[in-house]
Amino acid sequence: MSAEIESHQVESIGVVAGVVWQYLSEHEPVTLSKLSREIEAPRDLVMQAVGWLGREGKIEFHQGSRSKLISLVTE
């Protein structure tokens, strides 16, 4: 994979991470499934963006009644 393609992919993940953050700021908490359906981006990019935000400590996971929920970290 060329450096240009890899750079574009990382940039795309960053853009989707911003969209995920914005969505969570308005609709939290949500399941990963709902988040993936609501955001107009490929599911793999949404999951990568969630991983990015998780690694940065921006989101947290909670156990819901039937599945895990994610929300922004409250400060």
Side-chain angles (χ1 to χ4, degrees):
M1 181 180 311
S2 75
E4 182 178 324
I5 292 171
E6 187 173 320
S7 174
H8 178 71
Q9 184 174 0
V10 171
E11 183 178 314
S12 295
I13 296 167
V15 169
V16 175
V19 174
V20 168
W21 189 93
Q22 184 64 40
Y23 183 87
L24 291 175
S25 74
E26 298 171 1
H27 300 95
E28 63 180 329
V30 297
T31 64
L32 284 171
S33 296
K34 181 173 182 176
L35 179 65
S36 188
R37 282 192 311 270
E38 296 287 321
I39 291 181
E40 295 181 15
R43 181 178 169 79
D44 63 327
L45 273 180
V46 173
M47 295 301 118
Q48 291 172 32
V50 166
W52 179 317
L53 292 169
R55 181 77 172 148
E56 289 187 347
K58 306 275 187 199
I59 59 172
E60 53 193 5
F61 296 86
H62 313 276
Q63 186 60 49
S65 60
R66 295 182 0 181
S67 60
K68 291 201 185 230
L69 302 170
I70 61 171
S71 64
L72 295 178
V73 170
T74 55
E75 297 176 20

